Amino acid sequence: MRPPRAAFVDLPLGHTTGRPHDRPQQRAIVGAALRCFGSLDGPGSIVDLGVSWGDDDWRANPLLGASAVAGGGAAAPGRATPLGADARGERRDTPQYERADDQRLAEERVGVDAACRACVGFDA
């Protein structure tokens, strides 16, 4: 993809605004990105924000995704996973929720028997 303008951060996939739960870092990254967009004057302009993860362990298998990098993914630390292997959790055809409140709110908004919960706000 060729975005018209972009701010680059050298972070693992899924962590475009920094480490999980690190609000100061996340705010700094988003703020820097917003500030730089005013100075990007041409299509295809990219500015490197100079942000790094702090260690390069994630580079050994960048396709594992964010949860593995954060220490809670399907690939247990120290367990070898082939490069490019799909380390995501099981795929399901039903919605999965992080918290019970998320599920409750979704079901209240759309209805438990709704045919397509992903189409919130759209009438069939």
Side-chain angles (χ1 to χ4, degrees):
M1 173 170 103
R2 297 181 85 184
R5 289 156 186 80
F8 174 76
V9 291
D10 193 14
L11 301 174
L13 295 173
H15 291 285
T16 54
T17 58
R19 291 183 178 273
H21 313 292
D22 187 344
R23 288 184 179 210
Q25 182 189 42
Q26 293 166 359
R27 284 189 178 121
I29 290 171
V30 171
L34 291 173
R35 283 188 300 278
C36 81
F37 289 140
S39 65
L40 296 173
D41 56 0
S45 298
I46 299 174
V47 65
D48 186 340
L49 296 181
V51 177
S52 67
W53 192 253
D55 64 56
D56 285 340
D57 293 345
W58 65 274
R59 293 178 190 283
N61 196 345
L63 299 179
L64 283 179
S67 59
V69 172
R79 191 177 96 210
T81 303
L83 183 61
D86 187 351
R88 295 175 293 181
E90 174 187 348
R91 297 288 213 174
R92 300 183 182 139
D93 59 359
T94 57
Q96 303 299 302
Y97 301 93
E98 186 174 351
R99 299 180 187 98
D101 282 348
D102 296 337
Q103 181 174 0
R104 180 184 54 75
L105 289 170
E107 290 174 354
E108 284 175 6
R109 177 176 264 182
V110 181
V112 176
D113 297 324
C116 179
R117 294 181 192 178
C119 300
V120 174
F122 293 95
D123 293 325

